[in-house]
Amino acid sequence: MKISVVIPAYNRAQSICPAINSILDQSLKCHEIIIVDDGSQDDLAQVLKPYGNAITLIRHKTNLGASAARNTGIKAATGDTIAFLDSDDVWLPEKLKRQSEFMQNFNLLASCTNFYVSSRSPGNVNPLTSIAHRPYGQLLTVEDCVWGCFISPGSTFMCKTALLKKVGGYDTKFPRYEDWDLLLKLIDRIPGKFGFLNDATAKIFPSGNPGRTKALAGLSRMQAQHMSRLTELGLKNKFEAAILFNQASQNKLDRKYIAMFAQIIKCAFLVPKDNWPLKNILAYRLKNFLSIFRTPPVQ
């Protein structure tokens, strides 16, 4: 397996080096590292000079968005497999080895892995880190992914290059949720060939609120692109509940709590049983939040 690593970057000159170093520190060496500078205004090229020929740098003249940057990387890749890494995240040293072995052992065409979630703040060299709660099975199904994209594909996704090119890569018309769109398209196309390795192989640093307008537009496009197919598969209610949950998540970021609670209630009523986000995302976060108020046991 020849692995091409693709990193989209926009104004990341001050933070991209840990991501690159985590690739170079892999126990399984990759075939190439492709960094796509998506019209940055900082001097990324200068920062990358010390890496020399270890990196292929491609530059967009203007900012086209992460989807377009990833597509440029896909087009340029010469390896038979592509692994994506966001410019502000890092991989653990065994990531490529463990994930590639997982894919080869089970004859998979694509996969994602579990990950750690970390908080980053100025001067904090030891950020708070916790493993994400993602109790998926070994194979991801449409039923799993109808609920949303909770697998951080920007930094854990690996896929056969030919397959990505065949489906046209990322849809650049999505202002957000383009990864959810691609996930659904791939899993519907290659059932039984998309795996999930429930070992944390990456450390993810959430980047905050990407913007309400983009989020709602992305969810609207998700409905337009996938409602018909998911209705055929008997997943209409679950998809509608997923849209509500993701809308509620955006309202939380925007501190619109009344709207958030209304959408969560609607989500629960629409799918009262087997509601994956409420059971595995919201309930888990609530449990962790409440744990800080528990009185420690008397010694």
Side-chain angles (χ1 to χ4, degrees):
M1 183 182 288
K2 290 185 177 180
I3 303 172
S4 299
V5 180
V6 172
I7 304 179
Y10 178 65
N11 291 339
R12 296 288 190 180
Q14 299 304 314
S15 60
I16 196 172
C17 289
I20 298 169
N21 294 339
S22 76
I23 301 170
L24 298 176
D25 289 341
Q26 290 294 300
S27 60
L28 175 66
K29 301 307 176 185
C30 65
H31 172 62
E32 61 187 349
I33 302 172
I34 300 171
I35 297 178
V36 182
D37 181 352
D38 190 30
S40 298
Q41 297 173 346
D42 56 15
D43 196 355
L44 180 62
Q46 183 64 32
V47 170
L48 298 181
K49 274 188 176 180
Y51 294 101
N53 294 331
I55 288 172
T56 298
L57 177 63
I58 303 172
R59 177 172 169 80
H60 289 170
K61 292 182 179 179
T62 59
N63 179 240
L64 301 176
S67 292
R70 290 190 180 101
N71 286 345
T72 295
I74 292 169
K75 185 177 180 180
T78 61
D80 58 70
T81 303
I82 295 177
F84 295 93
L85 176 60
D86 283 342
S87 57
D88 54 347
D89 296 334
V90 296
W91 285 343
L92 302 185
E94 295 292 309
K95 194 266 186 189
L96 288 183
K97 181 177 185 293
R98 291 162 68 184
Q99 193 169 2
S100 61
E101 288 177 348
F102 173 66
M103 290 179 66
Q104 290 171 333
N105 289 342
F106 296 98
N107 194 27
L108 302 172
L109 299 178
S111 71
C112 286
T113 78
N114 208 338
F115 53 93
Y116 292 100
V117 181
S118 295
S119 60
R120 177 186 281 143
S121 59
N124 185 1
V125 295
N126 295 305
L128 179 65
T129 301
S130 61
I131 193 167
H133 184 62
R134 300 294 184 266
Y136 293 114
Q138 182 175 283
L139 294 178
L140 287 174
T141 66
V142 175
E143 288 81 359
D144 291 323
C145 298
V146 68
W147 290 109
C149 194
F150 299 111
I151 50 181
S152 197
S155 294
T156 75
F157 180 41
M158 280 179 61
C159 186
K160 292 298 181 181
T161 306
L163 176 60
L164 279 172
K165 292 181 177 179
K166 193 170 185 179
V167 300
Y170 289 84
D171 186 343
T172 58
K173 293 180 180 179
F174 274 85
R176 265 198 71 197
Y177 299 104
E178 70 283 350
D179 44 7
W180 188 11
D181 167 69
L182 180 61
L183 188 65
L184 283 174
K185 286 192 296 188
L186 284 174
I187 288 178
D188 192 34
R189 189 184 188 104
I190 54 168
K193 295 293 183 178
F194 199 124
F196 180 73
L197 176 62
N198 205 346
D199 295 333
T201 68
K203 189 179 291 186
I204 309 300
F205 296 88
S207 55
N209 190 345
R212 181 177 185 82
T213 300
K214 289 183 178 181
L216 297 183
L219 290 172
S220 177
R221 185 165 179 81
M222 280 296 300
Q223 289 177 296
Q225 292 291 93
H226 295 282
M227 182 60 79
S228 177
R229 175 57 177 159
L230 293 172
T231 298
E232 289 178 11
L233 296 173
L235 297 170
K236 180 176 183 291
N237 280 7
K238 289 184 177 181
F239 188 48
E240 289 181 348
I243 296 295
L244 285 166
F245 185 83
N246 281 277
Q247 289 171 342
S249 296
Q250 183 59 44
N251 278 321
K252 177 182 179 294
L253 292 174
D254 296 334
R255 299 183 179 181
K256 296 180 179 292
Y257 298 117
I258 294 176
M260 178 193 75
F261 284 117
Q263 286 159 342
I264 288 175
I265 291 169
K266 288 180 182 178
C267 173
F269 272 102
L270 195 59
V271 182
K273 296 178 64 177
D274 299 322
N275 193 313
W276 199 93
L278 295 186
K279 178 181 178 182
N280 293 294
I281 303 296
L282 184 61
Y284 183 74
R285 289 176 181 171
L286 182 61
K287 179 181 177 181
N288 282 351
F289 175 74
L290 293 176
S291 68
I292 67 176
F293 297 102
R294 292 175 186 162
T295 302
V298 177
Q299 299 295 324

